[in-house]
Structures are given as structure tokens and as C-alpha cells.
């Protein structure tokens, strides 16, 4: 009986310790980490590794596993926590801290070294899933540190490019592992839905831009070598086309999402993407047409104004700027944009006088 009592007391201590996991994850996402030094960070990482040790120790014991899971599910801020969370604790903590701008530079540097440290011999295969994501996220943050200027491509800032490159790389790996577009699509949706919406849109736009920038460089290089596009480039282009298709499918599959995407990105970047992706250009022109249809002409002010504030997403000046950017793009995009405006003008009565049709005025402006 005494031995059983000691075992019960020890298990209660473990359960009490496990109850602290939600608090640890909550603190890692709060402004309280601004007071953390390297020693405090080490203690937090030690706790995370201890929770992972509990997972390894008890995962083959159903009753104890269920007891730990029940204790975790009591936590209010994290109702979805369960026993498997213990096994992912170091990665969950690391990712939360990497996203927390309040973490001081010294502690952040210590965290990066911890996440990027290669696995020691005998620890099993290369990390997958969340562990691999944490290492890659740490690498992306390292690229943006002062004193380590990365090679920059025209367009998005360095960290955003790094995140986009990691997304493309992981998406291709997922395709090789799953062997089907449906598996890639599920993985992509899961990843992008975890990001804050503006950042998800920026990463997707950067990834689409990188696909076109990269394919252009490969094509030029292949032509320089033998005067023709090699089979390797054709295979790479086909793979890039499938990857772009998945990104566009996620983006264009929801009208509200696509509208938010267009509102949060610069019109110059949208024009670049529209010039390279016909599906996106058609949807973008349709969206601009919808927004423009909610403008009314105010004769007293001599201006086009929003007729319905909740539907007219753009002002006249913003709409004009977006159409101007499209007309400054490739010859094909300019022709497509002007043809769309001329058709809208014709449907609206083909007026030649200012103030009667927003499409007439736009054509005259751009």
C-alpha cells in the first residue's frame, strides 16, 4: 500500500506539472517575454523538453495517457490541447516565441541556435512535420537578422521571400510524399489558415512572384547552354505550374478571401501577378468592375463618390490607380484591361461625356 501511495503521489505531481503547459504557451505569446533573458529562455525550453519526455514515456500506456490528456483539456485558453501536444511542445513553444516581437534579441538568438541545432546521433530520422517547420521558420528569421543581408530579388522584403521559398519547398515535398494534389491542397489550406490573414496573403503573393522570377531565370540559363529549353526545365516548369495552380486555387476559391487579398496588397504587385497569371487577371478585373459599379457621380462636387460604404471598397482615386497599374503592365495585360473598360463603357451607354459613366471617365484617365 505504501508503494502504491508513493506512485499515486508521484503521478499527481506529474499531473500538476502538466497543468502548467497552457500557462507556458500563453506566456510565450504575451508581452511578458520582454523580460526574458537567455537563462529564462533555457528554463522554458527545458520544461518543453520535459513535457516531450513525458509523451515518450507514457504514450504506450493508455490509462496514463488518457489521464494526462484529461488534465490538459481542463485548461480554458487551449481547449484543444491533448496528450499529443506534449510530444510537440518544444516546437510549439519555439514557433510561438519566434512570432513574438517582444522577445529580446539575446533570448531570440539563443532560441534560434536551439532550433537550428542539428539532431544528435542516434535521435532517429530527420525531423518531419512541426519539427521541420520550426527549424525552417528559425532559418527564415535568421535570414532577416542585421549583419546577414541575404541575396535579394526585386520585390518582397527578405524575410517574406524566405518564408515564400520555404512554403514552395515544403509544398513540393508534400506532393512527393502524398503523391496527389488533394494531399497538397489539404496541407496548404492548413498552413495558410494558421497565419494571420495579411501575412498569409503576402506569403502567397511572394510565392507566386518567385515562381515566375525563378522560371524565367531557369529558362534563360537553359537557352544559354544549348540554345533550347531542356527537358529538365520543362519538367520544372510543369511542377511550378502545378504549384502555382494550388496557390491560385486556394486564393480564388473564396471570393471574400480574394477581395481581402486584393485590398491588402500594393496595386503594382497585383499588376505583376495579373500579367503572369491569366486566372488571376480575369478575377481581378471582375472584382474591380464590381467595386467600380458602386461609385456614383456627385455633380455638386464634380467627383465620383461611394454610393454604399459597405460595398464600395475603393474610392475613385484608388480605382483609377489600380486600372493605371494594369495598363502599365505587359502589352497583353494592357490590351486586356482596355478591352474590358471599352466593353463596360459600351454596356453603360457608350457615353463620351464626363460624369455619366465611371467607365468612360476611367478610359479617359488611363
Amino acid at each position: 500500500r505504501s508503494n502504491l501511495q508513493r506512485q499515486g503521489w508521484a503521478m499527481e505531481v506529474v499531473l500538476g506539472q502538466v497543468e502548467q503547459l497552457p500557462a507556458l504557451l500563453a506566456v510565450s505569446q504575451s508581452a511578458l517575454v520582454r523580460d526574458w533573458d537567455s537563462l529564462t529562455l533555457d528554463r522554458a525550453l527545458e520544461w518543453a523538453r520535459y513535457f516531450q519526455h513525458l509523451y515518450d514515456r507514457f504514450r504506450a500506456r493508455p490509462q496514463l495517457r488518457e489521464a494526462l490528456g484529461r488534465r490538459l483539456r481542463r485548461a480554458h485558453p487551449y481547449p484543444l490541447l491533448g496528450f499529443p501536444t506534449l510530444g510537440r511542445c518544444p516546437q510549439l513553444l519555439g514557433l510561438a516565441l519566434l512570432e513574438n516581437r517582444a522577445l529580446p534579441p539575446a533570448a531570440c538568438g539563443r532560441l534560434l541556435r536551439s532550433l537550428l541545432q542539428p539532431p544528435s546521433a542516434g535521435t532517429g530520422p530527420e525531423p518531419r512535420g512541426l519539427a521541420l517547420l520550426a527549424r525552417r521558420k528559425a532559418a527564415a528569421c535568421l535570414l532577416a537578422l542585421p549583419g546577414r543581408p541575404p541575396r535579394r530579388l526585386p520585390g518582397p522584403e527578405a524575410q517574406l521571400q524566405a518564408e515564400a521559398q520555404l512554403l514552395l519547398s515544403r509544398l513540393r515535398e508534400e506532393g512527393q510524399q502524398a503523391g496527389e494534389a488533394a494531399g497538397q491542397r489539404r496541407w496548404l489550406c492548413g498552413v495558410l489558415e494558421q497565419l494571420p490573414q495579411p501575412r498569409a496573403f503576402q506569403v502567397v503573393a511572394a510565392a507566386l512572384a518567385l515562381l515566375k522570377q525563378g522560371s524565367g531565370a531557369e529558362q534563360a540559363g537553359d537557352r544559354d547552354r544549348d540554345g533550347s529549353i531542356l527537358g529538365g526545365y520543362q519538367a520544372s516548369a510543369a511542377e511550378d505550374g502545378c504549384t502555382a495552380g494550388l496557390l491560385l486555387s486556394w486564393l480564388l476559391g473564396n471570393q471574400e478571401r480574394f477581395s481581402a487579398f486584393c485590398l491588402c496588397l500594393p496595386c503594382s504587385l497585383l499588376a505583376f501577378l495579373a500579367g503572369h497569371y491569366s486566372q488571376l487577371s480575369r478575377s481581378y478585373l471582375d472584382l474591380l468592375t464590381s467595386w467600380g459599379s458602386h461609385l456614383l457621380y456627385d455633380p455638386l462636387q464634380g467627383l465620383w463618390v461611394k454610393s454604399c460604404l459597405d460595398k464600395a471598397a475603393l474610392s475613385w482615386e484608388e480605382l483609377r490607380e489600380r486600372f493605371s497599374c494594369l495598363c502599365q503592365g505587359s502589352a497583353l495585360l494592357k490590351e486586356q484591361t482596355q478591352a474590358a473598360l471599352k466593353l463596360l463603357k459600351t454596356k453603360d451607354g457608350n457615353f463620351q461625356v464626363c460624369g455619366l459613366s465611371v467607365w468612360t471617365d476611367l478610359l479617359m484617365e488611363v
Side-chain angles (χ1 to χ4, degrees), residues 92 95 130 133 187-197 200:
L92 290 172
L95 288 169
L130 195 63
L133 176 61
W187 179 87
L188 179 66
C189 291
V191 168
L192 294 177
E193 287 171 5
Q194 292 181 43
L195 291 173
Q197 199 171 75

Side-chain angles (χ1 to χ4, degrees), residues 296-305 355:
L296 288 178
Y297 191 75
D298 185 344
L300 297 179
Q301 300 183 58
L303 298 172
W304 288 94
V305 297

Side-chain angles (χ1 to χ4, degrees), residues 59-227:
R59 61 180 173 179
R61 304 178 66 177
Q63 290 182 337
L64 295 177
R65 190 173 65 229
E66 180 60 28
L68 290 167
R70 282 198 305 269
R71 189 62 64 99
L72 273 175
R73 285 191 291 271
R74 290 182 184 179
H76 172 66
Y78 297 93
L80 298 181
L81 289 182
F83 179 77
T85 310
L86 295 173
R88 303 191 297 265
C89 192
Q91 292 78 40
L92 290 172
L93 178 66
L95 288 169
L97 290 171
L98 285 176
E99 293 290 338
N100 194 336
R101 293 173 179 258
L103 188 67
C108 184
R110 189 65 162 259
L111 175 65
L112 291 174
R113 287 192 293 273
S114 171
L115 292 174
L116 291 173
Q117 184 177 5
S120 57
T123 56
E126 280 294 304
R128 293 292 176 192
L130 195 63
L132 189 59
L133 176 61
R135 290 185 64 182
R136 286 177 167 170
K137 180 67 177 177
C141 290
L142 191 63
L143 287 174
L145 287 179
R148 295 178 180 265
R151 229 174 15 150
R152 297 182 71 112
L153 294 172
E157 39 106 355
Q159 183 175 349
L160 186 58
Q161 283 191 27
E163 292 183 11
Q165 287 168 338
L166 293 175
L167 176 68
L168 292 175
S169 174
R170 187 66 183 89
L171 191 55
R172 290 172 183 133
E173 287 179 12
E174 192 67 24
Q176 293 171 359
Q177 294 173 11
E180 57 175 9
Q184 286 177 289
R185 191 174 294 109
R186 284 192 298 271
W187 179 87
L188 179 66
C189 291
V191 168
L192 294 177
E193 287 171 5
Q194 292 181 43
L195 291 173
Q197 199 171 75
R199 194 62 174 177
F201 294 152
Q202 292 166 353
V203 171
V204 169
L208 289 170
L210 285 171
L211 284 173
K212 288 304 176 182
Q213 291 170 340
S215 64
E218 288 178 18
Q219 181 176 351
D222 288 337
R223 284 177 175 157
D224 288 344
R225 283 192 293 273
D226 63 2

